[in-house]
Amino acid sequence: MRVDTRGTRFAAAVTTAVLAAVLVSGSFPLLAAQALVFAAGAALGVARSPYGLLFRHLVRPRLGPPAGTEDAAPPRFAQGVGLVFALVGLVGYGAGPLWLGMAATACALAAAFLNAAFGYCLGCEVYLALRRIAG
């Protein structure tokens, strides 16, 4: 399965905005909602995640055909990595220490920003490195 690279960057841009809002507000419920989005992306694939569906139904019809597609497995893995950081963030914001929640959220935010702004997916690169190591 292949996905439109514009869709993954759109999802990363929305994720960047959500995680920035979490850092500014310290909102546990907002981070929990983002964790659910990450979980959906990891379980169902990025095209069937909430942000993927938003892109497919509201954004993509206004665009031309995709200039490029990519294998769906690396972005799906990246959603799982995002989920891990969001869960660690939830532990930090919910039970403490607060710095743990902020640090985990900031790491996820940095990765999402890199993808949104530059098309560089850290989780995807980790996936590819693990594939090379595994053979």
Side-chain angles (χ1 to χ4, degrees):
M1 178 170 208
R2 305 207 44 95
V3 293
D4 186 339
T5 55
R6 299 171 301 180
T8 55
R9 287 185 76 175
F10 171 81
V14 175
T15 300
T16 297
V18 169
L19 293 175
V22 169
L23 278 179
V24 169
S25 68
S27 174
F28 183 93
L30 189 56
L31 185 56
Q34 181 60 51
L36 290 174
V37 171
F38 281 140
L44 305 172
V46 292
R48 289 185 229 111
S49 73
Y51 301 157
L53 294 172
L54 189 66
F55 174 78
R56 183 183 326 152
H57 295 292
L58 297 179
V59 178
R60 192 167 190 283
R62 292 166 173 68
L63 304 174
T69 61
E70 65 181 319
D71 180 23
R76 189 172 186 172
F77 177 84
Q79 293 290 295
V81 173
L83 175 61
V84 169
F85 278 94
L87 292 175
V88 171
L90 287 170
V91 169
Y93 280 114
L98 180 60
W99 65 262
L100 178 64
M102 294 175 74
T105 302
C107 288
L109 170 61
F113 176 77
L114 282 174
N115 194 357
F118 305 109
Y120 187 81
C121 175
L122 283 174
C124 300
E125 294 301 322
V126 170
Y127 173 86
L128 295 173
L130 291 174
R131 291 286 306 245
R132 281 191 294 273
I133 291 168

PDB file of all heavy atoms in Angstrom, residues 12-24 31 34 38 81-82 85-86 93 101-117 120 122:
ATOM      1  N   ALA A  12       1.327  15.683   9.749  1.00  0.00           N
ATOM      2  CA  ALA A  12       2.416  16.158  10.596  1.00  0.00           C
ATOM      3  C   ALA A  12       2.213  17.624  10.975  1.00  0.00           C
ATOM      4  O   ALA A  12       2.524  18.030  12.099  1.00  0.00           O
ATOM      5  CB  ALA A  12       3.758  15.964   9.889  1.00  0.00           C
ATOM      6  N   ALA A  13       1.675  18.425  10.062  1.00  0.00           N
ATOM      7  CA  ALA A  13       1.422  19.840  10.357  1.00  0.00           C
ATOM      8  C   ALA A  13       0.332  19.983  11.422  1.00  0.00           C
ATOM      9  O   ALA A  13       0.468  20.789  12.354  1.00  0.00           O
ATOM     10  CB  ALA A  13       1.027  20.586   9.088  1.00  0.00           C
ATOM     11  N   VAL A  14      -0.732  19.201  11.303  1.00  0.00           N
ATOM     12  CA  VAL A  14      -1.796  19.249  12.317  1.00  0.00           C
ATOM     13  C   VAL A  14      -1.245  18.766  13.654  1.00  0.00           C
ATOM     14  O   VAL A  14      -1.494  19.375  14.701  1.00  0.00           O
ATOM     15  CB  VAL A  14      -3.017  18.415  11.875  1.00  0.00           C
ATOM     16  CG1 VAL A  14      -4.064  18.369  12.981  1.00  0.00           C
ATOM     17  CG2 VAL A  14      -3.616  18.965  10.591  1.00  0.00           C
ATOM     18  N   THR A  15      -0.461  17.693  13.616  1.00  0.00           N
ATOM     19  CA  THR A  15       0.148  17.162  14.834  1.00  0.00           C
ATOM     20  C   THR A  15       1.058  18.204  15.482  1.00  0.00           C
ATOM     21  O   THR A  15       1.060  18.368  16.705  1.00  0.00           O
ATOM     22  CB  THR A  15       0.933  15.874  14.521  1.00  0.00           C
ATOM     23  OG1 THR A  15       0.032  14.904  13.990  1.00  0.00           O
ATOM     24  CG2 THR A  15       1.602  15.314  15.760  1.00  0.00           C
ATOM     25  N   THR A  16       1.819  18.921  14.665  1.00  0.00           N
ATOM     26  CA  THR A  16       2.696  19.978  15.178  1.00  0.00           C
ATOM     27  C   THR A  16       1.875  21.028  15.935  1.00  0.00           C
ATOM     28  O   THR A  16       2.242  21.435  17.043  1.00  0.00           O
ATOM     29  CB  THR A  16       3.477  20.640  14.022  1.00  0.00           C
ATOM     30  OG1 THR A  16       4.318  19.655  13.421  1.00  0.00           O
ATOM     31  CG2 THR A  16       4.301  21.809  14.501  1.00  0.00           C
ATOM     32  N   ALA A  17       0.771  21.448  15.340  1.00  0.00           N
ATOM     33  CA  ALA A  17      -0.079  22.452  15.994  1.00  0.00           C
ATOM     34  C   ALA A  17      -0.653  21.922  17.305  1.00  0.00           C
ATOM     35  O   ALA A  17      -0.670  22.636  18.318  1.00  0.00           O
ATOM     36  CB  ALA A  17      -1.192  22.887  15.050  1.00  0.00           C
ATOM     37  N   VAL A  18      -1.114  20.681  17.290  1.00  0.00           N
ATOM     38  CA  VAL A  18      -1.704  20.098  18.501  1.00  0.00           C
ATOM     39  C   VAL A  18      -0.656  19.972  19.605  1.00  0.00           C
ATOM     40  O   VAL A  18      -0.897  20.356  20.757  1.00  0.00           O
ATOM     41  CB  VAL A  18      -2.348  18.731  18.190  1.00  0.00           C
ATOM     42  CG1 VAL A  18      -2.733  17.994  19.463  1.00  0.00           C
ATOM     43  CG2 VAL A  18      -3.563  18.908  17.286  1.00  0.00           C
ATOM     44  N   LEU A  19       0.518  19.464  19.263  1.00  0.00           N
ATOM     45  CA  LEU A  19       1.554  19.270  20.285  1.00  0.00           C
ATOM     46  C   LEU A  19       2.097  20.600  20.802  1.00  0.00           C
ATOM     47  O   LEU A  19       2.434  20.718  21.987  1.00  0.00           O
ATOM     48  CB  LEU A  19       2.676  18.380  19.741  1.00  0.00           C
ATOM     49  CG  LEU A  19       2.264  16.929  19.470  1.00  0.00           C
ATOM     50  CD1 LEU A  19       3.407  16.161  18.821  1.00  0.00           C
ATOM     51  CD2 LEU A  19       1.796  16.231  20.738  1.00  0.00           C
ATOM     52  N   ALA A  20       2.166  21.603  19.935  1.00  0.00           N
ATOM     53  CA  ALA A  20       2.565  22.934  20.405  1.00  0.00           C
ATOM     54  C   ALA A  20       1.532  23.465  21.399  1.00  0.00           C
ATOM     55  O   ALA A  20       1.897  24.060  22.425  1.00  0.00           O
ATOM     56  CB  ALA A  20       2.725  23.888  19.222  1.00  0.00           C
ATOM     57  N   ALA A  21       0.263  23.257  21.110  1.00  0.00           N
ATOM     58  CA  ALA A  21      -0.796  23.683  22.027  1.00  0.00           C
ATOM     59  C   ALA A  21      -0.694  22.943  23.362  1.00  0.00           C
ATOM     60  O   ALA A  21      -0.941  23.529  24.422  1.00  0.00           O
ATOM     61  CB  ALA A  21      -2.165  23.470  21.391  1.00  0.00           C
ATOM     62  N   VAL A  22      -0.322  21.666  23.307  1.00  0.00           N
ATOM     63  CA  VAL A  22      -0.143  20.905  24.548  1.00  0.00           C
ATOM     64  C   VAL A  22       0.995  21.502  25.370  1.00  0.00           C
ATOM     65  O   VAL A  22       0.863  21.691  26.589  1.00  0.00           O
ATOM     66  CB  VAL A  22       0.125  19.410  24.255  1.00  0.00           C
ATOM     67  CG1 VAL A  22       0.566  18.672  25.514  1.00  0.00           C
ATOM     68  CG2 VAL A  22      -1.112  18.746  23.659  1.00  0.00           C
ATOM     69  N   LEU A  23       2.104  21.823  24.724  1.00  0.00           N
ATOM     70  CA  LEU A  23       3.234  22.404  25.459  1.00  0.00           C
ATOM     71  C   LEU A  23       2.874  23.756  26.080  1.00  0.00           C
ATOM     72  O   LEU A  23       3.278  24.051  27.199  1.00  0.00           O
ATOM     73  CB  LEU A  23       4.448  22.555  24.548  1.00  0.00           C
ATOM     74  CG  LEU A  23       5.289  21.304  24.361  1.00  0.00           C
ATOM     75  CD1 LEU A  23       6.447  21.583  23.418  1.00  0.00           C
ATOM     76  CD2 LEU A  23       5.808  20.770  25.683  1.00  0.00           C
ATOM     77  N   VAL A  24       2.130  24.560  25.352  1.00  0.00           N
ATOM     78  CA  VAL A  24       1.754  25.883  25.861  1.00  0.00           C
ATOM     79  C   VAL A  24       0.746  25.770  27.007  1.00  0.00           C
ATOM     80  O   VAL A  24       0.848  26.459  28.019  1.00  0.00           O
ATOM     81  CB  VAL A  24       1.200  26.763  24.717  1.00  0.00           C
ATOM     82  CG1 VAL A  24       0.561  28.030  25.246  1.00  0.00           C
ATOM     83  CG2 VAL A  24       2.295  27.090  23.721  1.00  0.00           C
ATOM     84  N   LEU A  31      -3.417  16.117  24.813  1.00  0.00           N
ATOM     85  CA  LEU A  31      -2.379  15.117  24.534  1.00  0.00           C
ATOM     86  C   LEU A  31      -2.992  13.725  24.443  1.00  0.00           C
ATOM     87  O   LEU A  31      -2.575  12.914  23.610  1.00  0.00           O
ATOM     88  CB  LEU A  31      -1.279  15.167  25.591  1.00  0.00           C
ATOM     89  CG  LEU A  31      -0.078  14.246  25.346  1.00  0.00           C
ATOM     90  CD1 LEU A  31       0.571  14.502  23.987  1.00  0.00           C
ATOM     91  CD2 LEU A  31       0.944  14.390  26.471  1.00  0.00           C
ATOM     92  N   GLN A  34      -4.411  13.411  21.019  1.00  0.00           N
ATOM     93  CA  GLN A  34      -3.355  13.175  20.037  1.00  0.00           C
ATOM     94  C   GLN A  34      -2.831  11.750  20.131  1.00  0.00           C
ATOM     95  O   GLN A  34      -2.519  11.124  19.116  1.00  0.00           O
ATOM     96  CB  GLN A  34      -2.208  14.178  20.214  1.00  0.00           C
ATOM     97  CG  GLN A  34      -1.091  14.008  19.207  1.00  0.00           C
ATOM     98  CD  GLN A  34      -1.541  14.163  17.767  1.00  0.00           C
ATOM     99  OE1 GLN A  34      -2.192  15.142  17.414  1.00  0.00           O
ATOM    100  NE2 GLN A  34      -1.220  13.199  16.923  1.00  0.00           N
ATOM    101  N   PHE A  38      -2.508   9.032  17.148  1.00  0.00           N
ATOM    102  CA  PHE A  38      -1.327   8.210  16.882  1.00  0.00           C
ATOM    103  C   PHE A  38      -1.691   6.725  16.893  1.00  0.00           C
ATOM    104  O   PHE A  38      -1.238   5.951  16.038  1.00  0.00           O
ATOM    105  CB  PHE A  38      -0.234   8.455  17.924  1.00  0.00           C
ATOM    106  CG  PHE A  38       0.571   9.704  17.732  1.00  0.00           C
ATOM    107  CD1 PHE A  38       0.929  10.477  18.835  1.00  0.00           C
ATOM    108  CD2 PHE A  38       1.020  10.120  16.486  1.00  0.00           C
ATOM    109  CE1 PHE A  38       1.706  11.623  18.693  1.00  0.00           C
ATOM    110  CE2 PHE A  38       1.779  11.265  16.319  1.00  0.00           C
ATOM    111  CZ  PHE A  38       2.129  12.014  17.430  1.00  0.00           C
ATOM    112  N   VAL A  81       5.729   5.219  17.015  1.00  0.00           N
ATOM    113  CA  VAL A  81       6.746   5.922  17.793  1.00  0.00           C
ATOM    114  C   VAL A  81       6.130   7.162  18.441  1.00  0.00           C
ATOM    115  O   VAL A  81       6.356   7.438  19.626  1.00  0.00           O
ATOM    116  CB  VAL A  81       7.952   6.302  16.909  1.00  0.00           C
ATOM    117  CG1 VAL A  81       8.931   7.178  17.670  1.00  0.00           C
ATOM    118  CG2 VAL A  81       8.651   5.049  16.386  1.00  0.00           C
ATOM    119  N   GLY A  82       5.332   7.895  17.679  1.00  0.00           N
ATOM    120  CA  GLY A  82       4.641   9.058  18.241  1.00  0.00           C
ATOM    121  C   GLY A  82       3.739   8.666  19.395  1.00  0.00           C
ATOM    122  O   GLY A  82       3.648   9.388  20.397  1.00  0.00           O
ATOM    123  N   PHE A  85       5.805   8.243  22.570  1.00  0.00           N
ATOM    124  CA  PHE A  85       6.144   9.533  23.167  1.00  0.00           C
ATOM    125  C   PHE A  85       4.923  10.193  23.797  1.00  0.00           C
ATOM    126  O   PHE A  85       5.031  10.802  24.867  1.00  0.00           O
ATOM    127  CB  PHE A  85       6.803  10.452  22.131  1.00  0.00           C
ATOM    128  CG  PHE A  85       8.263  10.185  21.964  1.00  0.00           C
ATOM    129  CD1 PHE A  85       8.721   9.328  20.986  1.00  0.00           C
ATOM    130  CD2 PHE A  85       9.186  10.785  22.804  1.00  0.00           C
ATOM    131  CE1 PHE A  85      10.068   9.072  20.827  1.00  0.00           C
ATOM    132  CE2 PHE A  85      10.538  10.537  22.667  1.00  0.00           C
ATOM    133  CZ  PHE A  85      10.989   9.671  21.673  1.00  0.00           C
ATOM    134  N   ALA A  86       3.772  10.080  23.161  1.00  0.00           N
ATOM    135  CA  ALA A  86       2.558  10.666  23.727  1.00  0.00           C
ATOM    136  C   ALA A  86       2.171   9.966  25.034  1.00  0.00           C
ATOM    137  O   ALA A  86       1.758  10.628  25.993  1.00  0.00           O
ATOM    138  CB  ALA A  86       1.412  10.592  22.717  1.00  0.00           C
ATOM    139  N   TYR A  93       2.500  14.275  32.481  1.00  0.00           N
ATOM    140  CA  TYR A  93       1.497  15.297  32.797  1.00  0.00           C
ATOM    141  C   TYR A  93       0.505  14.803  33.849  1.00  0.00           C
ATOM    142  O   TYR A  93      -0.001  15.596  34.637  1.00  0.00           O
ATOM    143  CB  TYR A  93       0.727  15.715  31.539  1.00  0.00           C
ATOM    144  CG  TYR A  93       1.472  16.706  30.678  1.00  0.00           C
ATOM    145  CD1 TYR A  93       1.905  16.349  29.409  1.00  0.00           C
ATOM    146  CD2 TYR A  93       1.731  17.999  31.114  1.00  0.00           C
ATOM    147  CE1 TYR A  93       2.592  17.254  28.606  1.00  0.00           C
ATOM    148  CE2 TYR A  93       2.416  18.909  30.328  1.00  0.00           C
ATOM    149  CZ  TYR A  93       2.842  18.529  29.075  1.00  0.00           C
ATOM    150  OH  TYR A  93       3.520  19.426  28.291  1.00  0.00           O
ATOM    151  N   GLY A 101       6.603  14.911  31.018  1.00  0.00           N
ATOM    152  CA  GLY A 101       5.533  15.160  30.058  1.00  0.00           C
ATOM    153  C   GLY A 101       5.932  16.196  29.028  1.00  0.00           C
ATOM    154  O   GLY A 101       5.692  16.037  27.831  1.00  0.00           O
ATOM    155  N   MET A 102       6.571  17.242  29.505  1.00  0.00           N
ATOM    156  CA  MET A 102       7.002  18.302  28.594  1.00  0.00           C
ATOM    157  C   MET A 102       8.100  17.818  27.643  1.00  0.00           C
ATOM    158  O   MET A 102       8.069  18.113  26.446  1.00  0.00           O
ATOM    159  CB  MET A 102       7.474  19.515  29.394  1.00  0.00           C
ATOM    160  CG  MET A 102       6.352  20.173  30.187  1.00  0.00           C
ATOM    161  SD  MET A 102       6.927  21.515  31.237  1.00  0.00           S
ATOM    162  CE  MET A 102       7.215  22.756  29.993  1.00  0.00           C
ATOM    163  N   ALA A 103       9.047  17.055  28.159  1.00  0.00           N
ATOM    164  CA  ALA A 103      10.152  16.572  27.326  1.00  0.00           C
ATOM    165  C   ALA A 103       9.654  15.594  26.259  1.00  0.00           C
ATOM    166  O   ALA A 103      10.051  15.687  25.088  1.00  0.00           O
ATOM    167  CB  ALA A 103      11.221  15.919  28.195  1.00  0.00           C
ATOM    168  N   ALA A 104       8.796  14.669  26.652  1.00  0.00           N
ATOM    169  CA  ALA A 104       8.274  13.703  25.684  1.00  0.00           C
ATOM    170  C   ALA A 104       7.434  14.398  24.620  1.00  0.00           C
ATOM    171  O   ALA A 104       7.536  14.082  23.423  1.00  0.00           O
ATOM    172  CB  ALA A 104       7.455  12.630  26.404  1.00  0.00           C
ATOM    173  N   THR A 105       6.628  15.351  25.037  1.00  0.00           N
ATOM    174  CA  THR A 105       5.807  16.105  24.085  1.00  0.00           C
ATOM    175  C   THR A 105       6.694  16.925  23.158  1.00  0.00           C
ATOM    176  O   THR A 105       6.452  16.991  21.945  1.00  0.00           O
ATOM    177  CB  THR A 105       4.815  17.017  24.836  1.00  0.00           C
ATOM    178  OG1 THR A 105       4.003  16.203  25.686  1.00  0.00           O
ATOM    179  CG2 THR A 105       3.922  17.780  23.873  1.00  0.00           C
ATOM    180  N   ALA A 106       7.738  17.532  23.702  1.00  0.00           N
ATOM    181  CA  ALA A 106       8.655  18.328  22.886  1.00  0.00           C
ATOM    182  C   ALA A 106       9.378  17.458  21.855  1.00  0.00           C
ATOM    183  O   ALA A 106       9.588  17.889  20.707  1.00  0.00           O
ATOM    184  CB  ALA A 106       9.667  19.051  23.773  1.00  0.00           C
ATOM    185  N   CYS A 107       9.753  16.250  22.227  1.00  0.00           N
ATOM    186  CA  CYS A 107      10.407  15.334  21.270  1.00  0.00           C
ATOM    187  C   CYS A 107       9.454  14.977  20.129  1.00  0.00           C
ATOM    188  O   CYS A 107       9.844  14.997  18.956  1.00  0.00           O
ATOM    189  CB  CYS A 107      10.884  14.073  21.979  1.00  0.00           C
ATOM    190  SG  CYS A 107      12.315  14.327  23.045  1.00  0.00           S
ATOM    191  N   ALA A 108       8.220  14.664  20.474  1.00  0.00           N
ATOM    192  CA  ALA A 108       7.232  14.349  19.437  1.00  0.00           C
ATOM    193  C   ALA A 108       6.960  15.567  18.564  1.00  0.00           C
ATOM    194  O   ALA A 108       6.815  15.450  17.335  1.00  0.00           O
ATOM    195  CB  ALA A 108       5.944  13.841  20.081  1.00  0.00           C
ATOM    196  N   LEU A 109       6.908  16.734  19.183  1.00  0.00           N
ATOM    197  CA  LEU A 109       6.702  17.976  18.436  1.00  0.00           C
ATOM    198  C   LEU A 109       7.845  18.220  17.458  1.00  0.00           C
ATOM    199  O   LEU A 109       7.616  18.569  16.296  1.00  0.00           O
ATOM    200  CB  LEU A 109       6.564  19.153  19.400  1.00  0.00           C
ATOM    201  CG  LEU A 109       6.570  20.556  18.791  1.00  0.00           C
ATOM    202  CD1 LEU A 109       5.413  20.746  17.832  1.00  0.00           C
ATOM    203  CD2 LEU A 109       6.525  21.604  19.895  1.00  0.00           C
ATOM    204  N   ALA A 110       9.074  18.028  17.897  1.00  0.00           N
ATOM    205  CA  ALA A 110      10.227  18.232  17.017  1.00  0.00           C
ATOM    206  C   ALA A 110      10.161  17.299  15.811  1.00  0.00           C
ATOM    207  O   ALA A 110      10.399  17.722  14.675  1.00  0.00           O
ATOM    208  CB  ALA A 110      11.524  18.019  17.795  1.00  0.00           C
ATOM    209  N   ALA A 111       9.825  16.050  16.039  1.00  0.00           N
ATOM    210  CA  ALA A 111       9.735  15.092  14.936  1.00  0.00           C
ATOM    211  C   ALA A 111       8.609  15.471  13.980  1.00  0.00           C
ATOM    212  O   ALA A 111       8.779  15.407  12.748  1.00  0.00           O
ATOM    213  CB  ALA A 111       9.527  13.682  15.487  1.00  0.00           C
ATOM    214  N   ALA A 112       7.463  15.855  14.513  1.00  0.00           N
ATOM    215  CA  ALA A 112       6.337  16.248  13.658  1.00  0.00           C
ATOM    216  C   ALA A 112       6.681  17.489  12.845  1.00  0.00           C
ATOM    217  O   ALA A 112       6.367  17.587  11.655  1.00  0.00           O
ATOM    218  CB  ALA A 112       5.087  16.490  14.501  1.00  0.00           C
ATOM    219  N   PHE A 113       7.355  18.449  13.483  1.00  0.00           N
ATOM    220  CA  PHE A 113       7.743  19.668  12.778  1.00  0.00           C
ATOM    221  C   PHE A 113       8.711  19.369  11.635  1.00  0.00           C
ATOM    222  O   PHE A 113       8.577  19.926  10.542  1.00  0.00           O
ATOM    223  CB  PHE A 113       8.360  20.678  13.751  1.00  0.00           C
ATOM    224  CG  PHE A 113       8.865  21.904  13.048  1.00  0.00           C
ATOM    225  CD1 PHE A 113       7.976  22.881  12.628  1.00  0.00           C
ATOM    226  CD2 PHE A 113      10.213  22.065  12.786  1.00  0.00           C
ATOM    227  CE1 PHE A 113       8.434  24.008  11.950  1.00  0.00           C
ATOM    228  CE2 PHE A 113      10.681  23.180  12.119  1.00  0.00           C
ATOM    229  CZ  PHE A 113       9.794  24.162  11.692  1.00  0.00           C
ATOM    230  N   LEU A 114       9.683  18.501  11.873  1.00  0.00           N
ATOM    231  CA  LEU A 114      10.626  18.147  10.811  1.00  0.00           C
ATOM    232  C   LEU A 114       9.898  17.571   9.593  1.00  0.00           C
ATOM    233  O   LEU A 114      10.241  17.875   8.455  1.00  0.00           O
ATOM    234  CB  LEU A 114      11.661  17.144  11.316  1.00  0.00           C
ATOM    235  CG  LEU A 114      12.789  17.696  12.156  1.00  0.00           C
ATOM    236  CD1 LEU A 114      13.646  16.561  12.707  1.00  0.00           C
ATOM    237  CD2 LEU A 114      13.646  18.653  11.342  1.00  0.00           C
ATOM    238  N   ASN A 115       8.900  16.747   9.855  1.00  0.00           N
ATOM    239  CA  ASN A 115       8.140  16.157   8.748  1.00  0.00           C
ATOM    240  C   ASN A 115       7.284  17.203   8.060  1.00  0.00           C
ATOM    241  O   ASN A 115       7.245  17.280   6.831  1.00  0.00           O
ATOM    242  CB  ASN A 115       7.286  15.001   9.264  1.00  0.00           C
ATOM    243  CG  ASN A 115       6.750  14.139   8.147  1.00  0.00           C
ATOM    244  OD1 ASN A 115       6.951  14.416   6.967  1.00  0.00           O
ATOM    245  ND2 ASN A 115       6.065  13.080   8.507  1.00  0.00           N
ATOM    246  N   ALA A 116       6.601  18.020   8.848  1.00  0.00           N
ATOM    247  CA  ALA A 116       5.711  19.027   8.263  1.00  0.00           C
ATOM    248  C   ALA A 116       6.482  20.066   7.465  1.00  0.00           C
ATOM    249  O   ALA A 116       6.088  20.428   6.348  1.00  0.00           O
ATOM    250  CB  ALA A 116       4.901  19.714   9.364  1.00  0.00           C
ATOM    251  N   ALA A 117       7.575  20.564   8.002  1.00  0.00           N
ATOM    252  CA  ALA A 117       8.308  21.657   7.372  1.00  0.00           C
ATOM    253  C   ALA A 117       9.263  21.207   6.277  1.00  0.00           C
ATOM    254  O   ALA A 117       9.420  21.890   5.264  1.00  0.00           O
ATOM    255  CB  ALA A 117       9.078  22.435   8.439  1.00  0.00           C
ATOM    256  N   TYR A 120      10.987  15.465   6.333  1.00  0.00           N
ATOM    257  CA  TYR A 120      11.928  14.508   6.917  1.00  0.00           C
ATOM    258  C   TYR A 120      11.246  13.796   8.072  1.00  0.00           C
ATOM    259  O   TYR A 120      10.979  14.398   9.114  1.00  0.00           O
ATOM    260  CB  TYR A 120      13.200  15.218   7.397  1.00  0.00           C
ATOM    261  CG  TYR A 120      14.262  14.256   7.862  1.00  0.00           C
ATOM    262  CD1 TYR A 120      15.075  13.615   6.944  1.00  0.00           C
ATOM    263  CD2 TYR A 120      14.427  13.976   9.210  1.00  0.00           C
ATOM    264  CE1 TYR A 120      16.045  12.717   7.356  1.00  0.00           C
ATOM    265  CE2 TYR A 120      15.389  13.084   9.639  1.00  0.00           C
ATOM    266  CZ  TYR A 120      16.197  12.458   8.713  1.00  0.00           C
ATOM    267  OH  TYR A 120      17.148  11.567   9.120  1.00  0.00           O
ATOM    268  N   LEU A 122      11.471  11.331  10.962  1.00  0.00           N
ATOM    269  CA  LEU A 122      12.413  10.617  11.819  1.00  0.00           C
ATOM    270  C   LEU A 122      11.982   9.177  12.074  1.00  0.00           C
ATOM    271  O   LEU A 122      12.796   8.266  12.011  1.00  0.00           O
ATOM    272  CB  LEU A 122      12.556  11.343  13.164  1.00  0.00           C
ATOM    273  CG  LEU A 122      13.410  12.594  13.180  1.00  0.00           C
ATOM    274  CD1 LEU A 122      13.323  13.272  14.535  1.00  0.00           C
ATOM    275  CD2 LEU A 122      14.841  12.278  12.841  1.00  0.00           C
TER     276      LEU A 122
END
